[in-house]
Amino acid sequence: MRECFELRDVDAGGRIGELTVPRADVTVETPALLPVINPNLDTISPRRLAEEFGAEILITNSYIIHGTEDVREQALEEGLHDMLDFPGAIMTDSGSFQLSEYGDIDVTTEEILEFQREIGSDIGTPVDIPTPPDVSRERAAEELETTQERLEVAEGVDTGDMLVSAPVQGSTYPDLREEAGRHADATDLDVFPVGAVVPLMNDYRYDDMVDVVAASKRGLGADAPVHLFGAGHPMMFALGVAMGCDLFDSAAYALYARDDRYLTVRGTRQLEDLDYFPCSCPVCAEHSPDDLLALSDREREEELAAHNLHVTFEEIRRIKQAIRAGNLLELVEQRARAHPAMLDGYRALLDHAAQLESSDPVSKGSFFYTSHESARRPEVLRHHERLERLAVPDSLFLTEGEPARGDEFEASWRVEPPFGPFPRALSKSYPLTAEVPERTDRAALEAAAEGVARLVAANPETEVTLGHRGWPADVLEAVPEDVDLVDLTVEGD
Amino acid sequence: MRECFELRDVDAGGRIGELTVPRADVTVETPALLPVINPNLDTISPRRLAEEFGAEILITNSYIIHGTEDVREQALEEGLHDMLDFPGAIMTDSGSFQLSEYGDIDVTTEEILEFQREIGSDIGTPVDIPTPPDVSRERAAEELETTQERLEVAEGVDTGDMLVSAPVQGSTYPDLREEAGRHADATDLDVFPVGAVVPLMNDYRYDDMVDVVAASKRGLGADAPVHLFGAGHPMMFALGVAMGCDLFDSAAYALYARDDRYLTVRGTRQLEDLDYFPCSCPVCAEHSPDDLLALSDREREEELAAHNLHVTFEEIRRIKQAIRAGNLLELVEQRARAHPAMLDGYRALLDHAAQLESSDPVSKGSFFYTSHESARRPEVLRHHERLERLAVPDSLFLTEGEPARGDEFEASWRVEPPFGPFPRALSKSYPLTAEVPERTDRAALEAAAEGVARLVAANPETEVTLGHRGWPADVLEAVPEDVDLVDLTVEGD
Ligand SMILES: [Mg+2]
Ligand SMILES: [Mg+2]
Ligand SMILES: [Zn+2]
Ligand SMILES: [Zn+2]
């Protein structure tokens, strides 16, 4: 077990954890949002971030500090905590982003890590190579090699009790990301940013982002604290957390405020397009959109930044509460409807249902079936796998209706879409206590048919009859041929 | 056009309207939430409702006032507005709810309407019969007749410039509800509560609620202000508004607070089950769940009631903003994932797509396809109907790919699920500017195939070829046989 990170609660791939940051002498509860502080500009002061918004950790850029003489001197003299006046943990980025934007920076990993330690950073970052999406495999592999060398260099630097992050690169190649994750995990570094996903998010490629994170996570293992680097829009936090990300950073709250952009979990709005505030944070409870438009630029920017932070931290709390209650995927279901690209992201997430299943708790509150996508959730997959291990009599009636009377069958099991068959004794156990809509759908029926097929495949000797409520012919095609079918909706059958 | 109600903006069946309430000399913007005030108990004062929460209208029960001697005397002496200290409009209920609970009340429609006028109510209510769901048709019809007689009595009472509501009953019989709506609409009464839906909501029968409202709306017509009587949970406001409801009342904010229940748009939570507040209203920004639990019963109830009101009014603002932006159905898509019964409600709503289509604007912001359900939205239906009226050449290539080269076809049209075919010239017009997921789904393909079928049926002389990207065989079965098929994903084809 990694010393600095402990898991407290889990739901799907998401978790509540505690990141112990020894140098700051604080414990940060994850999922956590790290507001990005530009040391040259500050819309909302770090002190206010801590006291008004509950920020336990923030991130600032050591490369900018290093390159701005007066700020550098001040940071070296006072230390970051005093300079910024922030009581929580401070993570520092290294300039890799500048590298990706401008192609060149003038510090090495040794230099920047030593500098970060000197200015009192609590979590430092080496200079990795943020390889963009869709480059040639050759370039991705080569740059990954460089990143990995830098991580090895970082291991050798005397960083005291500063934690050090180990970025995971590999562009859009899942095998490279997985290998990068495995390599990073094997170093003695502490925090694991999944790097270079910003271009994917900027292009609304949430599905590709999910694939990249899933691959990185396979390499990293469950006990690694994972930072989705550059992901600051609250619309996608639930999806990111469900994949297993623990840390998010937001520059968006301030950058968007400067452009009169207003964040919501359903997407970004221009202030001038709003007639009503879909929010009741202290800013929106006090002001109408017209009020804000009437403010000076500087005041409006501050109010918008405060709103943007409120919705951002609100979503983090909502996600933590969902993990505690065991309904994180229900929240992801809702967020998936914020944009078609978010739906792509959720559909991609469900491609990794087996991976999520490995961490998903065996029992939770109540499974809510709320879309066709719900049929592909890890709980359904797990039930199907369980079906292969259940003891089964020689003749079995699987039915959506009443148990068989008489002794034609040795047992009657219930059938409920999307799960398929199960012995009545399991009716009271998760996830078979699910709430499902009365108006079922084809995805649920297909999943139920798949459950029947799995059960039959595992028990070729058993004679199985299926009593179904009018399943369409092409759904029934998934049921093995030797299963007798009874349509319970046909009278006299 | 009804004098007291004007529509300002419309999206699907939802609308922003202005209800002019002459006796209060105010205009109430709808959708509006009417907090229910119990004259004997008040958790949040009416003055605070107006000033802190922006309530423009509230509702209180004239039957309780009438039956409580000291309150009655005070109301008659001071008038409701002074007694409650509320500057907005005040609607009064009549005791019908008490009738439905206790089987008997001791006032007539004349008496209670006169009393309501005397105490200064701005919108009065006759004593209708709230017939519960699922009763015999005979009982429903008989009780509806009584309600209708009461409405006719109400028309004859001298109510001055007090508006009077005309409840629509009819239990769960759509034809009775429709007839009730038509009858109420033909009276000279002003506001139209859809009555007796509380038992449906208590049983999570949102689909049946939708059918009841849809039927009532068919009778009422577009210009009637509709009150979904007793509907106070913010989770279902968007669905109710999308059906065409304009007024909601909430006793829940206060009743739930008394039981330590915390409202969210994703459902109700027990305060003791919350580790984090998924909200940033002034109450939740200031307090943690533990803070509230440490308060006295009276203080905790007040704070919870304030939170409950904040999320309730926030959702109303969000809905208004969605109507302005033309994305109300996108909001309903999200709310449909709050509970499987809400999904049933949304699926039922889409059964009435043709009814919604009649009020839905021709052009809006951008259609987001965010679920299988999106394929049944009114915009898709409208496009399919439009296909039957488009001019079509003698030979036509419908394609998900590039237009045909050479002169094999007279024209190439685009095909995009869920809409199906359209001439390229329409690509830039709503809804064909839709954002759709990359990972399409069967519902979208089926709708597109239906579009092809509609086009072909309307143009039997045209030779049609369809270039599709690997549509499954059973989806292609919906395409008429004389359409030539080209699978664009098969190489060399
Ligand atoms: Mg893509
Ligand atoms: Mg039902
Ligand atoms: Zn706000
Ligand atoms: Zn709140």
Side-chain angles (χ1 to χ4, degrees):
Chain A
M1 198 69 182
R2 198 160 262 109
E3 259 172 51
C4 70
F5 192 55
E6 258 184 85
L7 297 184
R8 294 293 181 206
D9 210 335
V10 178
D11 188 13
R15 56 268 191 96
I16 292 178
E18 283 182 3
L19 180 70
T20 303
V21 185
R23 208 175 186 201
D25 197 21
V26 297
T27 298
V28 172
E29 189 177 66
T30 64
L33 185 276
L34 292 70
V36 175
I37 292 297
N38 180 331
N40 294 313
L41 282 170
D42 96 45
T43 320
I44 307 275
S45 73
R47 173 64 54 181
R48 197 176 154 203
L49 287 174
E51 291 176 357
E52 190 174 327
F53 298 93
E56 296 183 324
I57 180 169
L58 58 73
I59 183 167
T60 190
N61 192 312
S62 68
Y63 181 72
I64 291 176
I65 296 171
H66 188 264
T68 315
E69 193 174 330
D70 53 334
V71 182
R72 182 178 65 228
E73 293 313 315
Q74 194 191 350
L76 285 167
E77 208 162 293
E78 299 178 4
L80 270 184
H81 284 265
D82 280 357
M83 183 176 92
L84 296 178
D85 186 26
F86 185 68
I90 299 178
M91 179 170 181
T92 44
D93 190 8
S94 64
S96 300
F97 180 73
Q98 281 69 22
L99 183 65
S100 74
E101 292 283 293
Y102 310 116
D104 196 24
I105 58 169
D106 55 7
V107 293
T108 64
T109 286
E110 288 98 326
E111 283 165 357
I112 201 73
L113 280 175
E114 275 165 18
F115 178 69
Q116 292 175 84
R117 187 179 54 100
E118 282 175 57
I119 61 177
S121 172
D122 303 309
I123 308 176
T125 306
V127 183
D128 63 316
I129 314 289
T131 311
D134 314 317
V135 301
S136 72
R137 186 185 170 84
E138 200 184 355
R139 175 176 163 195
E142 236 171 59
E143 293 186 358
L144 176 56
E145 214 175 293
T146 306
T147 289
Q148 292 178 335
E149 287 162 15
R150 304 268 173 90
L151 300 191
E152 285 152 25
V153 167
E155 286 187 284
V157 176
D158 175 15
T159 50
D161 57 359
M162 179 173 78
L163 299 180
V164 177
S165 73
V168 174
Q169 298 291 349
S171 185
T172 29
Y173 296 94
D175 59 323
L176 294 183
R177 288 278 186 177
E178 183 170 345
E179 193 227 305
R182 200 169 298 113
H183 172 272
D185 197 48
T187 64
D188 63 9
L189 305 180
D190 309 286
V191 173
F192 302 88
V194 176
V197 293
V198 169
L200 296 177
M201 290 185 292
N202 288 347
D203 289 344
Y204 287 80
R205 291 169 60 182
Y206 295 109
D207 50 354
D208 295 328
M209 180 198 81
V210 162
D211 289 339
V212 158
V213 173
S216 306
K217 289 282 300 184
R218 284 194 297 276
L220 285 167
D223 71 338
V226 175
H227 181 176
L228 193 60
F229 205 88
H233 201 300
M235 178 173 77
M236 46 69 59
F237 289 167
L239 181 65
V241 170
M243 281 309 308
C245 297
D246 309 293
L247 302 166
F248 300 85
D249 55 276
S250 173
Y253 80 93
L255 293 175
Y256 282 34
R258 204 160 304 157
D259 297 337
D260 284 334
R261 282 186 288 171
Y262 178 98
L263 291 175
T264 88
V265 292
R266 302 177 60 223
T268 308
R269 309 289 181 241
Q270 280 293 329
L271 177 59
E272 63 187 19
D273 293 339
L274 291 176
D275 294 302
Y276 310 88
F277 280 141
C279 175
S280 54
C281 81
V283 175
C284 300
E286 274 299 306
H287 300 93
S288 70
D290 281 346
D291 292 346
L292 286 203
L293 284 168
L295 295 177
S296 71
D297 285 1
R298 173 71 209 164
E299 288 170 314
R300 191 172 66 253
E301 181 181 332
E302 186 177 331
E303 295 292 347
L304 277 175
H307 158 81
N308 288 345
L309 279 171
H310 275 299
V311 292
T312 300
F313 280 105
E314 173 182 337
E315 183 69 354
I316 295 282
R317 289 196 301 274
R318 187 178 287 118
I319 288 167
K320 287 184 189 172
Q321 181 56 40
I323 294 172
R324 286 264 191 257
N327 58 31
L328 177 61
L329 289 179
E330 278 81 356
L331 179 60
V332 175
E333 284 272 1
Q334 292 192 285
R335 296 295 173 256
R337 319 301 157 178
H339 191 281
M342 287 292 301
L343 179 57
D344 276 327
Y346 183 41
R347 288 176 176 174
L349 180 83
L350 294 168
D351 290 346
H352 303 286
Q355 190 172 330
L356 302 187
E357 191 274 327
S358 65
S359 54
D360 199 40
V362 172
S363 183
K364 299 192 256 182
S366 189
F367 179 107
F368 279 6
Y369 188 95
T370 58
S371 75
H372 290 71
E373 283 73 35
S374 297
R376 296 175 61 214
R377 281 179 48 171
E379 296 91 337
V380 177
L381 190 71
R382 177 181 291 162
H383 178 69
H384 287 177
E385 280 161 7
R386 183 181 191 177
L387 280 173
E388 298 180 350
R389 300 188 306 270
L390 290 176
V392 163
D394 289 343
S395 80
L396 185 55
F397 184 42
L398 310 176
T399 180
E400 292 193 279
E402 294 301 306
R405 274 168 298 197
D407 52 7
E408 192 185 342
F409 301 98
E410 286 179 54
S412 288
W413 285 14
R414 279 183 58 194
V415 172
E416 182 142 278
F419 301 102
F422 53 91
R424 261 150 226 274
L426 291 181
S427 299
K428 299 250 158 84
S429 58
Y430 190 87
L432 304 166
T433 49
E435 300 271 353
V436 300
E438 270 192 20
R439 293 162 186 247
T440 190
D441 57 53
R442 188 189 172 91
L445 298 181
E446 282 176 344
E450 162 76 11
V452 173
R454 297 280 288 259
L455 183 72
V456 170
N459 300 281
E461 308 297 310
T462 298
E463 294 204 16
V464 176
T465 299
L466 172 66
H468 65 88
R469 295 200 192 279
W471 295 6
D474 51 346
V475 168
L476 288 169
E477 271 172 30
V479 174
E481 270 182 37
D482 47 345
V483 172
D484 283 330
L485 299 174
V486 181
D487 184 344
L488 304 170
T489 63
V490 175
E491 279 195 49
D493 221 357
Chain B
M1 197 71 181
R2 198 160 262 108
E3 258 172 51
C4 70
F5 192 56
E6 257 185 84
L7 297 184
R8 295 294 182 203
D9 210 337
V10 178
D11 188 12
R15 57 270 189 95
I16 293 179
E18 284 182 4
L19 180 70
T20 302
V21 186
R23 207 175 185 199
D25 196 21
V26 298
T27 298
V28 172
E29 190 178 64
T30 64
L33 185 276
L34 292 70
V36 175
I37 292 297
N38 181 332
N40 293 315
L41 282 169
D42 96 45
T43 321
I44 307 276
S45 74
R47 174 63 56 182
R48 197 176 155 204
L49 287 174
E51 290 176 357
E52 191 175 328
F53 298 92
E56 296 183 325
I57 180 168
L58 58 73
I59 183 167
T60 189
N61 192 314
S62 67
Y63 181 73
I64 293 176
I65 295 171
H66 188 263
T68 316
E69 192 174 332
D70 54 335
V71 181
R72 183 178 65 228
E73 293 312 315
Q74 195 192 350
L76 285 167
E77 207 162 294
E78 299 178 4
L80 269 184
H81 284 265
D82 281 357
M83 182 176 93
L84 296 178
D85 185 26
F86 185 69
I90 299 178
M91 181 171 178
T92 44
D93 190 8
S94 63
S96 300
F97 180 73
Q98 282 68 23
L99 183 66
S100 73
E101 292 284 292
Y102 310 116
D104 196 24
I105 59 171
D106 55 7
V107 292
T108 64
T109 286
E110 288 97 325
E111 283 164 358
I112 200 72
L113 278 176
E114 274 164 20
F115 178 69
Q116 291 175 86
R117 187 179 54 99
E118 283 174 55
I119 61 176
S121 171
D122 303 309
I123 308 175
T125 306
V127 183
D128 62 316
I129 314 290
T131 311
D134 313 318
V135 301
S136 71
R137 185 184 172 86
E138 199 184 356
R139 175 174 163 198
E142 235 171 61
E143 293 186 357
L144 176 57
E145 213 175 294
T146 307
T147 288
Q148 293 178 336
E149 287 162 16
R150 306 267 174 93
L151 300 191
E152 286 152 24
V153 167
E155 285 186 285
V157 176
D158 175 15
T159 50
D161 57 359
M162 179 173 79
L163 299 180
V164 177
S165 72
V168 173
Q169 299 291 349
S171 185
T172 28
Y173 296 94
D175 59 323
L176 294 184
R177 288 278 186 176
E178 184 171 344
E179 193 226 305
R182 199 169 299 113
H183 172 272
D185 197 47
T187 65
D188 64 8
L189 305 180
D190 308 286
V191 172
F192 302 89
V194 176
V197 293
V198 169
L200 296 176
M201 289 184 293
N202 288 346
D203 289 345
Y204 287 80
R205 292 168 61 182
Y206 295 109
D207 50 354
D208 296 328
M209 180 198 81
V210 163
D211 289 340
V212 158
V213 173
S216 306
K217 288 283 298 185
R218 284 194 297 276
L220 284 167
D223 70 338
V226 175
H227 180 178
L228 193 60
F229 206 87
H233 201 300
M235 178 172 78
M236 47 69 59
F237 289 167
L239 182 65
V241 170
M243 282 309 308
C245 298
D246 308 293
L247 302 166
F248 300 84
D249 55 276
S250 173
Y253 80 93
L255 294 175
Y256 282 34
R258 204 161 303 157
D259 297 337
D260 284 334
R261 283 186 289 171
Y262 178 100
L263 292 176
T264 87
V265 291
R266 302 177 60 222
T268 308
R269 310 287 181 243
Q270 281 292 330
L271 177 59
E272 64 188 19
D273 293 339
L274 291 177
D275 294 301
Y276 309 88
F277 280 140
C279 176
S280 54
C281 82
V283 174
C284 300
E286 274 299 305
H287 301 92
S288 69
D290 281 346
D291 291 346
L292 286 204
L293 284 168
L295 295 178
S296 71
D297 284 2
R298 172 71 209 164
E299 288 171 314
R300 191 171 66 252
E301 181 181 332
E302 187 177 331
E303 295 291 348
L304 277 175
H307 158 81
N308 288 346
L309 278 171
H310 275 299
V311 293
T312 300
F313 280 105
E314 173 183 338
E315 183 69 354
I316 295 282
R317 289 195 301 275
R318 189 178 285 118
I319 288 167
K320 287 184 190 173
Q321 181 56 40
I323 294 172
R324 285 264 191 256
N327 57 33
L328 177 62
L329 288 179
E330 279 81 356
L331 180 59
V332 175
E333 284 273 0
Q334 292 192 283
R335 296 296 174 257
R337 320 302 157 178
H339 191 281
M342 286 291 301
L343 179 58
D344 276 327
Y346 183 40
R347 288 176 175 173
L349 180 83
L350 295 168
D351 290 346
H352 304 286
Q355 190 172 331
L356 302 186
E357 191 274 328
S358 65
S359 54
D360 199 39
V362 172
S363 183
K364 298 191 255 179
S366 190
F367 179 108
F368 279 6
Y369 187 96
T370 58
S371 75
H372 290 71
E373 284 73 34
S374 297
R376 296 175 62 215
R377 280 178 49 170
E379 295 91 337
V380 177
L381 189 71
R382 178 181 292 161
H383 178 68
H384 286 177
E385 280 161 7
R386 184 181 190 179
L387 281 173
E388 298 180 349
R389 299 187 308 269
L390 289 176
V392 163
D394 289 343
S395 80
L396 187 55
F397 184 43
L398 309 177
T399 180
E400 291 194 278
E402 294 300 306
R405 273 169 298 196
D407 51 7
E408 194 186 340
F409 300 98
E410 285 179 56
S412 288
W413 285 14
R414 281 183 57 195
V415 172
E416 183 143 277
F419 301 100
F422 54 90
R424 261 150 227 274
L426 291 181
S427 299
K428 299 251 158 83
S429 57
Y430 190 87
L432 303 167
T433 49
E435 300 270 352
V436 299
E438 269 191 21
R439 294 163 184 246
T440 191
D441 57 53
R442 189 188 171 89
L445 298 182
E446 281 176 344
E450 162 74 9
V452 173
R454 297 281 287 259
L455 183 73
V456 170
N459 300 280
E461 307 298 309
T462 298
E463 295 204 13
V464 176
T465 299
L466 172 66
H468 64 89
R469 295 198 192 281
W471 295 6
D474 51 347
V475 167
L476 288 168
E477 271 172 30
V479 175
E481 270 182 37
D482 48 345
V483 172
D484 283 331
L485 298 174
V486 181
D487 184 344
L488 304 169
T489 62
V490 176
E491 279 195 48
D493 221 357

